Each structure stands twice: as C-alpha cells, then as structure tokens.
Amino acid sequence: MAKDITQTQIDVLNELKERASSFVGIDIIARELEISKTRVKAALRELLNWGYQLEQKSTQKSELRVKYIASPDILFPHEISFGRDEESFGFNIYSFDRVGSTNTLAHKYAERGEAEGTVVIADRQTAGKGRLGRSWHSPARTGAYMSIILRPEILPTYAPGLSLIAAVSVAEAIRKLYKLKTAIKWPNDVLINDKKAAGVLTELSAELDHVRYVIVGIGININMTEADFPGEIHSRATSIRIASGDKADRIALVQGILSHFEARYHDFCDSGIAGQIKAIRGYSSILGKRIRFSYRGDNAEGTAVDIDESGQLLVDLNGERIAISSGEITLTDSY
Ligand code: BT5
C-alpha cells in the first residue's frame, strides 16, 4: 500500500504541507510543479482516497483552493522524511505494510550497501524478533517496527552502547511528546508504569576488531489497546495509548525517536558513551535496586550499581563487583 502513492501526489501534498496554515490555489501548485491543473486535481482526488484530510474552497471567480489539514495514519516514507535533511536518519526509508522482520530485511539492505541512517519500517511484522530467539508481537496499524542501518567506526565490544542510547531515545521521545514518565530496564526495555512499551534489538555484522554494520531494531507499542496483547504478555505490556488515554501520532513519534537517536548516535561515535551515561543512568529503572539474573549458568541475586563505558551493568554480588553484558534481569520485587 505505502508504495503505491505516486511522486506527483507526494509533490502536490508537499506543496500544501509547506503552506499548511493557508489555502493554496491549484493554479499555483500547477505552476510550481510544472504540471497541468488537471493533474493537480487528479492528485488531490487520490490524496483524499488515501485518507488525507484537505479542505477545499472555490468561488465562481477564483480557482479551486486547497488547504492541508491532516495525514492518514499510514507509515508513509514521505511523511516520515518530510522536513528532514537529506543526510538525516530517516530520510532514506523503506516502508512496508507487512514484513517478516524489519531487522532481517535491514541486514539484506546493509549487505547491498545502503547508507548509514537508512530506515526499514513496517506496519506489521509476521516474524518480529526479540533477543535470544524470542519473538516480538507486532500487530498491524497500532505500532511501529523499524530498523536503522548504522556503520559506526567502533570496536564490536562497544556496540551494546547503541542499544542503550536507542532505548534512551525512545524513552525521551515518548516523554517529550506525550508527557509520560518512561524508564529503561537495562539493557533494552522501555517501560511506562513498570510495563514494557518498547524493546530494542541490536544486531551486528562484525569481525573481531571491526564493525561492518549494525542494525538497531526498535519495536514500539503505540496505539494498542489491552485487547491487542495476547495472554502471555498481557500483564507485562503496555502502549502509549493505554498509558495516556489517547491515540498517538505514529509518524510524529517515529520522527522524534529518529531525531533523538541521531543526535545521541553522533555524540556516541565522536566521544563514546561518556556523554550519554548521565541520561542512561537517569532513565534506568534498576540502579540501586535488588535484581535477579543468571550468572555463570546459575541464578544470582545482587544490587545493580552502575552502567560502565561498554554499556555493561555493574552489579554488587555479595560484596564482589561484577559486570554483566547481556541477558535477562528481573527486579526482585516487580517486572
Ligand atoms: C526485545 O526483545 O525487547 C527486542 C524487541 C525488538 C523488536 C523490534 S521490532 C523492529 C525490529 N525488527 C525485529 O524483528 N525486531 C526489532 P526481548 O528483550 O527478548 O523481549 C522479547 C519479549 O518481550 C518476548 O519474549 C515477550 O515476553 C515480550 N514481548 C513480545 N512482544 C511484545 C510487545 N509487543 N510488547 C511488550 N512485550 C512484548
């Protein structure tokens, strides 16, 4: 679906969006785009068919005039990239109604040489991946499932930091746009009210001393209702809509996440995790708390103390300071 909109329709739309607060005559659009008024009218009809809200007015004397009101809830690439710089993350976007996993597809695109900042996004995933072979529930029209291709010049050991800054970016975009209190359960869960609203899956293609590329996959529960979560995750998952009571704008959220992530990513590449650590600690829901985790094949319990410069979690285990780099942790008294 997202791929069927034509360039002329997008051009006409952008003419309207650039003057979003006023009516624009179709003669002006036709002149700007060097196409006939008939083609402009046809494009407008198609935009209405897509669900765009446009206000139209015409008088006997003047040409038809049109004003942009709102876009449909579709993850169109041209909506996500609107207003973004050509060099920015999310300028180059592949959007799909349905894919197996955006991460799997992003690997293919990275292998064929797609640039850093390229985004693969889907309305629905049929084989969404979590970590360690787990799956990510990815129903249609309610979430956003996206993968960002990165080509950082870092050692593979530092790659986990990318998961952390992606999680921070999601947490801060949600907080900023919807005024919801968000937290991060190390390493990759974004929580609202102690329930999981988003997850990050970072995968890399690397040699021992060299990262070829990284795929940062982000799944966000945006407009799910309670009924959209199946039994096994029902009590532990939430969405922005459930937490705020209102439907959220998926495009605005995706744009917000990309902007926050891009800024943090460049800082991370230039200066390492040092400049990010304050935010990572600030959003962390577990520092200072008792946690359970698996350590050397056994279940262990300790106190989460800090996050180090490789993104590892430092834990006080019976007086001994240990670092854990991945895996599952649970708070001893909640999620
Ligand atoms: C994650 O794994 O949290 C990483 C999820 C990353 C998903 C994105 S979507 C775009 C990109 N393409 C992909 O194929 N994946 C990425 P993990 O920490 O392993 O958590 C998975 C666990 O969270 C599952 O075993 C469930 O218990 C739970 N879960 C599954 N779907 C969920 C959802 N929609 N909301 C909340 N919890 C969920």
Side-chain angles (χ1 to χ4, degrees):
M1 182 157 65
K3 56 192 172 298
D4 291 335
I5 197 156
T6 65
Q7 191 55 48
T8 306
Q9 290 161 27
I10 295 170
D11 292 342
V12 169
L13 175 70
N14 287 345
E15 288 293 322
L16 296 174
K17 283 175 104 183
E18 275 155 21
R19 308 171 184 86
S21 49
S22 49
F23 282 91
V24 194
I26 59 160
D27 51 331
I28 294 175
I29 300 172
R31 202 179 324 126
E32 291 276 335
L33 299 178
E34 297 179 2
I35 57 175
S36 68
K37 286 189 278 187
T38 313
R39 278 189 73 192
V40 175
K41 280 187 185 161
L44 290 170
R45 270 196 307 277
E46 285 307 315
L47 289 170
L48 290 168
N49 284 341
W50 282 111
Y52 277 91
Q53 290 175 41
L54 309 172
E55 205 177 318
Q56 309 196 30
K57 100 179 159 181
S58 58
T59 61
Q60 274 180 335
K61 279 191 206 136
S62 71
E63 288 284 4
L64 177 66
R65 292 158 68 75
V66 189
K67 184 168 144 180
Y68 167 85
I69 307 290
S71 300
D73 183 18
I74 301 175
L75 298 170
F76 280 129
H78 63 269
E79 288 289 343
I80 297 168
S81 60
F82 182 76
R84 300 185 78 76
D85 197 80
E86 272 186 48
E87 304 289 311
S88 292
F89 286 11
F91 184 80
N92 188 28
I93 296 193
Y94 295 92
S95 176
F96 300 88
D97 280 348
R98 189 176 77 168
V99 297
S101 152
T102 57
N103 262 38
T104 305
L105 203 54
H107 274 287
K108 285 197 190 133
Y109 288 178
E111 290 290 350
R112 78 176 189 203
E114 290 284 346
E116 170 158 286
T118 297
V119 171
V120 180
I121 192 165
D123 188 60
R124 171 184 169 201
Q125 292 183 123
T126 52
K129 295 191 290 185
R131 293 177 306 147
L132 310 167
R134 291 186 288 244
S135 61
W136 186 254
H137 179 60
S138 314
R141 290 183 298 279
T142 50
Y145 317 105
M146 66 173 164
S147 302
I148 308 161
I149 297 173
L150 303 171
R151 300 184 181 280
E153 289 181 14
I154 57 170
L155 289 171
T157 46
Y158 290 107
L162 293 169
S163 270
L164 294 174
I165 61 169
V168 167
S169 307
V170 174
E172 67 187 341
I174 295 175
R175 191 177 278 198
K176 199 162 168 200
L177 283 166
Y178 305 106
K179 313 285 174 264
L180 292 169
K181 195 163 179 323
T182 46
I184 295 169
K185 192 186 125 210
W186 183 92
N188 69 328
D189 293 351
V190 179
L191 310 181
I192 306 176
N193 300 330
D194 285 336
K195 292 185 176 184
K196 187 158 171 173
V200 178
L201 172 67
T202 298
E203 298 179 303
L204 61 159
S205 167
E207 277 126 49
L208 272 178
D209 58 349
H210 166 71
V211 169
R212 290 180 60 235
Y213 63 81
V214 180
I215 306 295
V216 171
I218 302 175
I220 322 139
N221 301 331
I222 305 177
N223 287 324
M224 284 83 168
T225 60
E226 299 275 4
D228 292 315
F229 294 118
E232 63 275 19
I233 57 170
H234 192 267
S235 60
R236 289 180 295 135
T238 191
S239 72
I240 293 172
R241 179 177 179 181
I242 292 169
S244 72
D246 285 322
K247 270 191 94 173
D249 180 339
R250 293 193 295 166
I251 300 282
L253 182 63
V254 167
Q255 289 175 325
I257 292 170
L258 289 172
S259 298
H260 286 289
F261 181 61
E262 182 171 8
R264 291 193 174 279
Y265 172 73
H266 289 313
D267 185 80
F268 177 83
C269 291
D270 291 345
S271 330
I273 212 165
Q276 307 293 324
I277 209 85
K278 194 169 160 222
I280 294 169
R281 288 179 181 138
Y283 276 103
S284 175
S285 66
I286 60 163
L287 294 184
K289 301 212 173 123
R290 296 289 292 170
I291 56 167
R292 287 201 195 98
F293 55 101
S294 103
Y295 185 58
R296 295 185 174 152
D298 276 332
N299 290 330
E301 198 176 311
T303 304
V305 179
D306 204 355
I307 289 154
D308 75 8
E309 72 283 357
S310 319
Q312 300 187 106
L313 182 67
L314 303 179
V315 181
D316 183 337
L317 181 65
N318 306 322
E320 186 195 352
R321 181 69 62 93
I322 59 157
I324 40 181
S325 55
S326 68
E328 203 57 21
I329 58 157
T330 42
L331 286 172
T332 53
D333 52 2
S334 71
Y335 182 47

